[in-house]
Amino acid sequence: MGALYEKHSLHEEITNLPQWKQQAYQTFTSMLIDTNTYPCVPARQGFLDNQLRFCFVSDPRETKASEELATALKTYGNHARSFGNYTSLAVFFETPEDMIRNYSVEDYRNLFWNALNQVTAYDEQPWPEAIPQEPEHHEWEFCFAGEPYFAFCATPAHRKRKSRYFPYFMIAFQPRWVFEDLNGNTTFGRKMKNIIRKRLLQYDGVPGHPDLKWYGEEDNHEWKQYFLSDDDESPSKCPFMRMKEKMSSFLQ
């Protein structure tokens, strides 16, 4: 696992894949295109235009999952700009039944941050100079192989926020450059934000989480938006740690 797919190749190979991979991809496809209600319009457009890439990764509790994720991110980052302006990488993790039955939102939150902490140990490139290394800085973003990413997590445990529910543990990585025109400094960005927030309210049936803000605003923290609680609560401190010690310190 760890290989990248695009939708056409997945459509051709889908029946040859393990059942959980088939279900994850088919659910994702239905979520984005069946009713045109999914809040993130750019993600839907990216799928329709074959700009998204997909990856299947092992049980996130297993050490090999981090290596598989690192391989996928490195490969994706090397080619992402050729995929289109609405590209992102959707990573589906094998999620055994015991996790689905027993894991809470907080358990999945820990899995998410463990995944980022562990995969960063495989990063061979220095942190980008333009991105602060302190997550509390309003311009911080998760980076891998020199590329800043917005990370979006969905889990089987989310119930109130439908937009953060997925039957498998999933992380989507969006390169920061895809947001160049989707920000508060452009007419298009402001219009798109209003559309997405309106669709989010309709989709979830609850007000948007208070942590949803614009990148770069001084009261914004990107890390809080990566993994949203099912309610309006948020952690007080970012769990991300980028350490230069040996990889084993993460993988023990």
Side-chain angles (χ1 to χ4, degrees), residues 206-232:
V206 296
H209 197 286
D211 286 336
L212 293 176
K213 296 182 172 68
W214 285 103
Y215 174 73
E217 290 182 345
E218 293 193 3
D219 63 343
N220 174 65
H221 297 100
E222 289 289 277
W223 65 269
K224 290 187 176 183
Q225 300 186 51
Y226 290 178
F227 191 108
L228 294 181
S229 299
D230 222 14
D231 52 24
D232 287 349

Side-chain angles (χ1 to χ4, degrees), residues 28 45 84 178 188 200 219 234 245:
F28 184 88
Q45 191 62 48
V178 306
F188 176 72
L200 183 64
D219 63 343
S234 61
E245 284 81 1

Side-chain angles (χ1 to χ4, degrees), residues 54-156:
F54 306 93
C55 177
F56 301 97
V57 171
S58 300
D59 184 331
R61 298 169 296 184
E62 298 180 1
T63 299
K64 63 181 179 180
S66 302
E67 187 172 4
E68 293 167 358
L69 178 57
T71 299
L73 271 174
K74 184 176 181 180
T75 303
Y76 175 76
N78 287 338
H79 303 282
R81 290 182 182 273
S82 68
F83 299 150
N85 292 332
Y86 294 134
T87 187
S88 61
L89 172 64
V91 181
F92 307 119
F93 290 80
E94 185 174 6
T95 313
E97 189 62 31
D98 69 293
M99 287 177 60
I100 295 174
R101 287 197 313 267
N102 301 319
Y103 270 45
S104 67
V105 170
E106 288 305 310
D107 292 327
Y108 282 111
R109 188 197 301 276
N110 291 334
L111 273 183
F112 169 75
W113 286 109
N114 284 341
L116 293 194
N117 283 335
Q118 291 173 8
V119 78
T120 198
Y122 289 93
D123 191 352
E124 299 171 348
Q125 296 190 28
W127 195 263
E129 292 184 3
I131 303 297
Q133 295 194 42
E134 174 50 58
E136 295 304 321
H137 195 284
H138 60 277
E139 293 183 345
W140 179 87
E141 196 82 275
F142 171 74
C143 300
F144 189 86
E147 190 72 65
Y149 290 99
F150 180 87
F152 171 98
C153 188
T155 83

